[in-house]
Amino acid sequence: MNQTLREAYRGFFDIGAAVNARTIRSAGELIAAQYNSITAENEMKPERVHPEEERYTFEEADAIVAFARANGLRMRGHTLVWHNQTPDWFFEDGRGGKAAKEAALARLRSHIRTVVKRFAGDVYCWDVVNEAVDDAGQDALRATKWLDVVGPSYIAKAFEFAHEADPKALLFYNDYNESHPAKRERIYALVKSLVEAGTPIHGVGLQAHWNLYDPPLDDIRRAIERYASLGLRLHITEMDVSMFAFDDRRTDLAEPTDDMLALQEERYESFFRVFLEYREAIDSVTFWGAADDYTWLHDFPVRGRTNWPLLFDARHRPKRSFERVAALAEAAKRGSGAGGASR
Ligand code: HAH
């Protein structure tokens, strides 16, 4: 393959892929050739690195860091605080009851300190808090064990603990449905309150789990503008473009249809056109996988369904979507293609 994403976008964005302990082997060559940044899909999450209070398990995370080093890739860290994939011991008092606030905060600090210090120098930025904002309803914050045990201050505390552990690391708030107008405003309000309180936060991660039909480009533009107005850096952290609308339950396809592939090309090109329009605010675009043979969207959220959300097919060949995305960057370099056209 002569053209690569990382070269096409050099000077614009880092181009990242989520990897795991298996895909650094099964797609290692593709990842090292096409991307210049990686994120561990699961291997740095609390349940993986800290299953019990007195026991850390870093083998798989270390293997991914070694892969990044061997191939000269940057690493985003994901994730220090989340409501999911976090062991219950953080929140319990060991006698069947709820942990005291101070005990839970001490554990949070110790967890963040240990994990961030271990990877300092390898991981240049962290998704410090993932998905703390509610999807719908009145409440701004998602009802989680962190909120229940510590209260809303757990968010600012997490950023302070991460900053104290590695003052050089760039610290992000990361969320999905980030372009949905109502949730966008809740995320904006949360992040604004952190900035105004002097919390060490440097960026907003837009997960960008999108699909062929949603979100509309104008919602994406408004989300980017709103978050960028806080003076923070933006990363696209977990991009994929599902072939299925949110409420589509079909499970009959063994291959994507031609119509799906054509629409996916259009969407990918439009999304990257928007990213290039806002390149002054965006530093990094990471896909939540490397190629269509492995994606978290196989079997999720619909069991028995295959999906094809990435730029490389199941045999690691570039899709037409890849050509369109790469061509856009070349055009932007020549000063003709970025911005304008789809406004
Ligand atoms: C993301 N959540 C998480 O940030 C990432 O860690 C995980 O590997 C995959 C997706 C998005 C999400 C979800 O987990 C459940 C429902 C909706 C969205």
Side-chain angles (χ1 to χ4, degrees):
M1 203 180 306
N2 26 34
Q3 194 180 29
T4 67
L5 277 183
R6 53 182 284 173
E7 287 312 318
Y9 280 86
R10 185 174 300 282
F12 295 137
F13 316 126
D14 282 340
I15 298 289
V19 306
N20 62 45
R22 279 185 314 276
T23 61
I24 55 173
R25 290 191 295 272
S26 64
E29 273 183 47
L30 177 78
I31 294 161
Q34 289 289 339
Y35 301 89
N36 55 9
S37 174
I38 59 173
T39 307
E41 181 186 12
N42 291 300
E43 286 76 358
M44 292 185 181
K45 288 172 178 171
E47 73 172 6
R48 295 295 195 89
V49 298
H50 203 175
E52 296 165 30
E53 184 156 18
E54 303 301 331
R55 188 163 68 93
Y56 283 92
T57 44
F58 284 125
E59 293 77 11
E60 291 190 329
D62 287 348
I64 291 174
V65 170
F67 174 81
R69 279 193 192 170
N71 293 289
L73 310 175
R74 310 188 82 193
M75 267 206 93
R76 299 192 77 261
H78 178 82
T79 177
L80 298 172
V81 182
W82 194 22
H83 63 279
N84 218 345
Q85 292 181 258
T86 300
D88 285 339
W89 64 258
F90 275 98
F91 313 104
E92 292 169 351
D93 69 357
R95 297 184 300 275
K98 200 160 97 175
K101 172 177 174 175
E102 293 311 321
L105 275 175
R107 287 168 178 166
L108 182 63
R109 179 165 185 250
S110 167
H111 171 80
I112 289 178
R113 196 182 174 77
T114 304
V115 175
V116 169
K117 279 191 180 294
R118 183 175 190 93
F119 301 117
D122 288 305
V123 167
Y124 78 97
C125 72
W126 276 99
D127 294 328
V128 177
V129 177
N130 199 32
E131 305 177 353
V133 168
D134 212 9
D135 269 301
Q138 298 301 311
D139 297 337
L141 295 183
R142 180 189 295 272
T144 67
K145 290 185 179 176
W146 284 117
L147 187 63
D148 182 36
V149 171
V150 176
S153 67
Y154 83 88
I155 298 172
K157 286 287 179 200
F159 281 91
E160 286 162 20
F161 297 153
H163 186 62
E164 154 191 294
D166 180 3
K168 294 204 180 104
L170 300 177
L171 306 181
F172 281 73
Y173 175 77
N174 190 49
D175 215 329
Y176 68 93
N177 285 348
E178 73 298 313
S179 300
H180 184 280
K183 189 167 174 185
R184 173 196 78 210
E185 286 308 305
R186 287 199 289 271
I187 294 171
Y188 172 83
L190 168 66
V191 176
K192 183 166 187 276
S193 74
L194 294 171
V195 170
E196 286 175 353
T199 310
I201 178 172
H202 310 104
V204 177
L206 294 79
Q207 288 189 8
H209 291 296
W210 297 336
N211 67 48
L212 296 187
Y213 313 99
D214 193 71
L217 293 180
D218 278 342
D219 286 0
I220 296 171
R221 283 200 182 86
R222 275 194 210 100
I224 291 172
E225 286 170 10
R226 196 83 168 124
Y227 302 140
S229 77
L230 291 166
L232 299 175
R233 305 308 303 165
L234 305 188
H235 285 186
I236 308 298
T237 53
E238 307 187 12
M239 187 177 197
D240 38 34
V241 181
S242 167
M243 294 296 197
F244 302 97
F246 179 71
D247 54 1
D248 188 341
R249 313 291 297 175
R250 77 185 285 188
T251 57
D252 57 317
L253 291 174
E255 296 292 335
T257 67
D258 289 344
D259 286 350
M260 285 175 165
L261 286 166
L263 198 47
Q264 192 180 46
E265 280 175 42
E266 296 295 328
R267 292 285 276 169
Y268 261 118
E269 177 169 338
S270 305
F271 294 146
F272 273 80
R273 196 183 292 281
V274 171
F275 298 159
L276 284 166
E277 272 177 44
Y278 292 99
R279 60 187 181 246
E280 297 305 323
I282 300 172
D283 297 317
S284 169
V285 179
T286 295
F287 296 87
W288 211 236
D292 285 344
D293 52 327
Y294 173 76
T295 156
W296 72 299
L297 294 174
H298 291 334
D299 283 319
F300 183 86
V302 176
R303 285 275 297 275
R305 184 175 75 185
T306 305
N307 212 326
W308 303 274
L310 299 163
L311 294 183
F312 297 91
D313 73 13
R315 294 169 59 188
H316 299 181
R317 297 172 304 195
K319 293 158 70 174
R320 294 256 313 157
S321 294
F322 165 95
E323 319 286 350
R324 301 273 291 261
V325 165
L328 209 55
E330 298 306 335
K333 281 181 199 160
R334 292 193 304 269
S336 57
S342 75
R343 261 197 200 277

